[in-house]
Amino acid sequence: MDVCAGVVQVAFRVHGMGSNGMFHRNSLNAFLHPHAAFSQLPFRNLTQDHGACGFHRNLHMKHKLVVRAGPKKILFDTKCRKALQVGVDKLADAVSVTLGPKGRNVILSDEHSLKVINDGTIIAEAIELLDPIENIGATLVREVASKVNGEAGDGTTTAIILAREMIKSGLLAVAYDINTISLKRGMDMTVKELVKILTERSSPVQGRDDIKAVASISAGNDDFIGDLIAEAMVKTGPDGVINIEQSRTSETSILIEEGMKFDKGYLSEAFVTNEENGILEFENAKVLVTDQKILSAKEITPVLEKVIQLGVPLLIIAEDITRQVTQTLVMNKRKGILKAAVVRCPGILLGKKALLQDIAILTGADFICQDFGLDLSDVSSDQLGVARKVIISKKSTTIVADPSTKLEVQARVSQMKKDLAEMDSKALRQRLSERIAKLTGGVAVIKVGGNTEVEIEDRKLRVEDAKNATFSAMKEGLVPGGGAAFIHLSKEIPVITSSFEDPDERIGAEIVKKALRAPAKTIAANAGVDGDFVVENIEASDWRHGYNAMTGRFEDLIDVGVVDPCRVTRSALENAVSVAGLILTTQAVLVEKIRKPKSLVHDIPGITC
């Protein structure tokens, strides 16, 4: 159905407008109170022949207010949902070929570069369809990939495949007049119970071998990347930080540096220097550490002037900062005068000052504390610390220490360990242990090399996926990989639906059950094996067993290291059912109608252009 909204025109005379186009006070009142304004317009006798509206023919229109609404294309019911599904299918088909150890690559080409990609998130983000309604379907599923990637760092392809299967089966059910609200409720309740079971059955990460297994699987069964991530995790600890950089050589290596990460991000996105990743990066930056509020730019003007003279970036860690000061720093950044960023102090209450003291020692800065009688306006450049590298995201800050502060950090840690041994309070011991972990955790830098830019880009993405999957596994544990966990969960659905009274809700549960088989079938298909055969064999086995697509055998997946992070599996399932329910309950789609450009050449009979 095409709807073209008409053009509404309201024309009126504006009295009192000056030659400069500005309204006088009376004119503004007339504009704000149109009834009063129209009452003052020069009407003539309606019985006179001056037009049906009664306005004088010579009334000069000085101003026109035009409201336009462009033509819209609207689809309803089955037509709109099928159009959305076409978009979902196109995106899912492009992404699903990458799933599993024998998944293929996808080539992305744009105006500037050519990339060979095996990452579902990047492929999904690159897809934009010509048909606007199909593109809405693709966009909705792309949001699933983005959400899963943000929550778990991996599992985007699995989430897209699950969503596609739920939508496909759901639309078939809707075609038979199943109540969509009850259907969605049944799907949601089923997934909620499955997540509980999944969490209960997950196994904690134990040692280097488990870390390597998770990282290798996520990197496309690349054992070399698995070893790198495992080494980085062992050396930096669970609270450590892993950064990924491009190497200047063709070799990929790992470097461990002193550093600290805390959960405070930048105050304004205007500070961002890396738009693609949404982060701020400084090298050889000066650091100001204070527990005071910065109320005006005058308080830190001497520091700013000195930093500008030195030509280095500045990181300010303060209790708070006013909007006026933030805007001043942003303006100077945009003009290229000064590179600066501000983050709020980490920690709470008494623990805040202790953390600031740790940061001051890590960077070699003086802690500008109000209790010590130190004032911001008196700070000199000698009281600033230095960081070899600073990485700030929306939620966290990582400071890589300069080698010159290594001895001071070691002395600080030794003293903290002595204090820890003398403490009786469990809560205080825990806080002090966390501070020690932050100071000793360090930062691992994986320098990714390759022979070509395409190879380096592909390897960096694999390392990033492996890193994210490993951190997810550390937090919520492991489950069998290869799609086996989903199939084993599907066997629990009959027990879950036994409490459902609404038959439409039971159909919703069956839709989830069918979708849970899709990831394993796709992995098998990409490996050249019959997916139905694989699913039947996994269903007949216990929780730990499944199909290893790399070796082509059915075995104990946890023993052989074919595992997935529980968080990745959970996030994929939750987000897939969310977008599926959204599309299934959609009744109409309204988009801008595409206008075909008129030909510049007049039509001539017998000649086609």
Side-chain angles (χ1 to χ4, degrees):
M1 177 179 179
D2 295 339
V3 177
C4 181
V7 177
V8 181
Q9 295 188 352
V10 180
F12 53 88
R13 182 174 181 177
V14 180
H15 295 281
M17 179 179 284
S19 59
N20 60 356
M22 300 298 292
F23 284 105
H24 298 308
R25 183 180 300 274
N26 294 335
S27 305
L28 181 60
N29 290 332
F31 185 75
L32 294 175
H33 304 285
H35 296 293
F38 277 112
S39 66
Q40 298 174 9
L41 290 174
F43 286 91
R44 298 286 294 269
N45 193 329
L46 295 179
T47 60
Q48 296 179 6
D49 186 19
H50 292 298
C53 66
F55 285 100
H56 193 276
R57 288 183 184 275
N58 295 326
L59 179 62
H60 181 60
M61 299 299 178
K62 294 288 186 70
H63 185 78
K64 287 185 178 181
L65 176 65
V66 180
V67 181
R68 292 183 181 271
K72 304 293 181 184
K73 180 180 179 181
I74 304 180
L75 291 185
F76 294 97
D77 302 327
T78 304
K79 286 186 177 180
C80 83
R81 288 189 288 267
K82 283 187 176 179
L84 292 173
Q85 185 186 0
V86 171
V88 172
D89 286 340
K90 288 181 178 179
L91 186 142
D93 288 341
V95 170
S96 62
V97 298
T98 66
L99 188 64
K102 296 186 179 180
R104 275 57 165 189
N105 295 325
V106 173
I107 296 178
L108 300 183
S109 176
D110 56 30
E111 297 178 357
H112 307 290
S113 63
L114 187 72
K115 296 180 180 179
V116 180
I117 303 296
N118 192 264
D119 185 272
T121 306
I122 294 178
I123 297 169
E125 289 176 351
I127 293 175
E128 186 172 352
L129 305 178
L130 289 175
D131 185 274
I133 298 182
E134 291 179 8
N135 193 54
I136 290 175
T139 301
L140 290 171
V141 179
R142 186 163 59 239
E143 287 300 314
V144 171
S146 178
K147 190 78 179 294
V148 172
N149 189 58
E151 290 179 0
D154 197 13
T156 54
T157 303
T158 301
I160 291 172
I161 291 172
L162 287 170
R164 191 253 289 271
E165 291 302 316
M166 290 180 189
I167 293 166
K168 185 185 293 184
S169 301
L171 290 177
L172 185 62
V174 172
Y176 286 91
D177 294 330
I178 301 298
N179 184 284
T180 55
I181 302 302
S182 298
L183 193 74
K184 180 180 182 300
R185 185 164 57 247
M187 294 168 66
D188 290 339
M189 290 191 297
T190 302
V191 168
K192 186 177 180 180
E193 293 301 317
L194 291 177
V195 167
K196 291 180 182 178
I197 297 170
L198 182 72
T199 305
E200 291 172 358
R201 293 186 179 180
S202 66
S203 306
V205 175
Q206 296 177 343
R208 192 180 191 279
D209 291 340
D210 281 355
I211 296 173
K212 178 185 175 181
V214 173
S216 298
I217 292 291
S218 185
N221 282 81
D222 191 324
D223 287 337
F224 176 72
I225 293 177
D227 278 324
L228 281 177
I229 298 295
E231 182 183 354
M233 291 292 293
V234 168
K235 290 185 176 180
T236 62
D239 297 312
V241 180
I242 300 176
N243 292 328
I244 300 166
E245 298 178 358
Q246 184 169 329
S247 175
R248 295 181 179 178
T249 68
S250 61
E251 300 296 325
T252 300
S253 59
I254 185 171
L255 177 67
I256 307 298
E257 300 175 325
E258 299 291 335
M260 177 189 288
K261 180 179 180 180
F262 54 87
D263 297 329
K264 291 290 182 181
Y266 48 69
L267 293 183
S268 171
E269 292 185 356
F271 291 126
V272 169
T273 59
N274 187 328
E275 297 288 346
E276 183 178 352
N277 297 322
I279 60 175
L280 179 151
E281 294 178 302
F282 286 158
E283 291 187 359
N284 301 318
K286 291 291 185 179
V287 183
L288 171 63
V289 184
T290 180
D291 63 346
Q292 301 177 41
K293 294 182 180 180
I294 302 176
L295 303 177
S296 69
K298 290 182 179 179
E299 294 178 325
I300 56 173
T301 297
V303 172
L304 297 180
E305 289 176 348
K306 189 61 180 177
V307 170
I308 292 171
Q309 290 175 6
L310 294 173
V312 295
L314 175 65
L315 169 63
I316 300 174
I317 303 173
E319 174 66 23
D320 203 356
I321 187 169
T322 62
R323 181 177 296 180
Q324 178 257 332
V325 180
T326 303
Q327 290 174 346
T328 300
L329 295 175
V330 170
M331 181 181 66
N332 280 277
K333 182 237 179 188
R334 287 174 175 168
K335 290 182 177 180
I337 299 173
L338 170 68
K339 291 182 180 179
V342 183
V343 296
R344 290 193 175 96
C345 301
I348 55 174
L349 302 176
L350 296 176
K352 182 177 292 187
K353 289 185 179 180
L355 274 173
L356 289 175
Q357 289 174 347
D358 293 342
I359 295 171
I361 289 174
L362 181 72
T363 60
D366 286 353
F367 176 32
I368 311 302
C369 181
Q370 200 166 14
D371 295 343
F372 300 158
L374 299 175
D375 193 74
L376 284 170
S377 58
D378 298 328
V379 175
S380 66
S381 60
D382 295 335
Q383 293 176 290
L384 300 177
V386 63
R388 196 187 70 79
K389 190 167 186 178
V390 176
I391 303 172
I392 309 176
S393 67
K394 192 173 183 179
K395 297 181 179 180
S396 65
T397 298
T398 301
I399 299 174
V400 178
D402 189 82
S404 61
T405 62
K406 187 172 183 177
L407 294 177
E408 287 82 355
V409 172
Q410 290 176 347
R412 176 75 167 180
V413 171
S414 298
Q415 183 60 47
M416 290 165 70
K417 287 181 177 180
K418 290 179 181 178
D419 295 340
L420 184 66
E422 298 173 359
M423 280 185 179
D424 296 326
S425 171
K426 185 177 180 180
L428 292 177
R429 285 177 61 86
Q430 183 177 354
R431 290 177 190 170
L432 191 55
S433 298
E434 290 174 356
R435 287 173 53 203
I436 293 172
K438 284 183 180 295
L439 275 175
T440 59
V443 176
V445 180
I446 297 178
K447 296 184 177 292
V448 179
N451 295 317
T452 64
E453 287 293 329
V454 175
E455 181 185 354
I456 292 172
E457 188 67 27
D458 176 62
R459 185 168 291 179
K460 282 175 69 176
L461 292 173
R462 290 176 185 269
V463 173
E464 187 72 35
D465 283 346
K467 180 193 80 169
N468 293 333
T470 303
F471 279 114
S472 293
M474 297 291 288
K475 292 176 180 177
E476 295 188 19
L478 304 170
V479 296
F486 291 118
I487 295 177
H488 292 312
L489 286 175
S490 70
K491 295 186 287 187
E492 304 296 328
I493 289 180
V495 178
I496 295 171
T497 55
S498 61
S499 61
F500 292 2
E501 296 181 358
D502 189 337
D504 290 348
E505 291 179 357
R506 291 198 184 97
I507 294 174
E510 288 299 318
I511 289 172
V512 174
K513 182 178 180 180
K514 185 178 180 181
L516 291 174
R517 299 171 180 169
K521 290 178 70 174
T522 304
I523 291 172
N526 288 342
V529 182
D530 181 26
D532 291 327
F533 170 75
V534 169
V535 170
E536 288 176 6
N537 278 272
I538 296 175
E539 285 180 331
S541 61
D542 61 24
W543 170 256
R544 293 172 63 96
H545 284 73
Y547 178 68
N548 185 348
M550 195 66 184
T551 61
R553 293 195 297 265
F554 292 92
E555 52 193 342
D556 188 319
L557 298 180
I558 294 180
D559 279 350
V560 297
V562 181
V563 290
D564 287 333
C566 178
R567 172 178 282 193
V568 170
T569 305
R570 172 185 61 77
S571 180
L573 185 56
E574 289 176 336
N575 286 285
V577 77
S578 175
V579 74
L582 183 67
I583 291 178
L584 293 176
T585 54
T586 297
Q587 194 69 10
V589 177
L590 186 149
V591 295
E592 292 288 339
K593 185 178 179 182
I594 300 177
R595 295 182 178 181
K596 293 183 180 179
K598 293 182 179 180
S599 176
L600 298 177
V601 181
H602 294 291
D603 293 335
I604 302 174
I607 299 178
T608 58
C609 297

